[in-house]
Amino acid sequence: MDQPVLVKRGYVPPIHDFSILTPQGDDVTDYFLKDDNYTFMLVAYDLQQSSTKNQERINALAKWAEAQGYNFICLTASLENEQQAFTEDNNVPYPFLSTDEITLKTMIRSNPGLILTYKGTILAKWHNNDIPDSTSFRQEILPEMNKKLNKD
């Protein structure tokens, strides 16, 4: 049998070595990328620079998502003490997980920005100014996403 020969190297995506880490350093990337559930990823690469003008809307959406059994996490490159301060200052109901800052900036340019995924596939992205409220999500966005995924 002949050995395989590399003819041409394929496309290398701009996001590689993507990982999601808990504060304890556990890699939970596969859990969120393979989960058969909606996952809301709030991307706030720098919490000290992150806009809080829509924080109440984000918090309400996070609480609604949790009540529905959906994942809602915040990916950040900020240090743990910055995460704790942000949580206390903004009554944050969701967990913070760590990801590389450059990777986060590549994912979405807004700080914060929201990404909705399903089984690791990005379904939608929202700039901080456009993050939907839970009513809009429930009545308009979720039915459209379910239709795309052929779910009911």
Side-chain angles (χ1 to χ4, degrees), residues 40 57 61 64 126 130-145:
F40 293 83
R57 176 182 286 204
L61 182 60
W64 174 83
W126 294 274
D130 303 320
I131 292 175
D133 60 22
S134 58
T135 302
S136 296
F137 192 84
R138 183 181 71 249
Q139 293 177 353
E140 300 165 22
I141 299 166
L142 188 60
E144 187 64 31
M145 295 300 147

Side-chain angles (χ1 to χ4, degrees), residues 79-116:
L79 300 173
E80 192 171 348
N81 63 328
E82 295 168 334
Q83 295 170 22
Q84 290 171 342
F86 191 87
T87 297
E88 291 169 11
D89 293 345
N90 297 286
N91 299 313
V92 170
Y94 45 81
F96 288 95
L97 299 168
S98 297
T99 302
D100 177 72
E101 183 174 358
I102 302 300
T103 300
L104 294 174
K105 288 179 180 180
T106 303
M107 291 169 65
I108 196 164
R109 297 292 181 199
S110 179
N111 186 30
L114 185 65
I115 299 173
L116 177 66

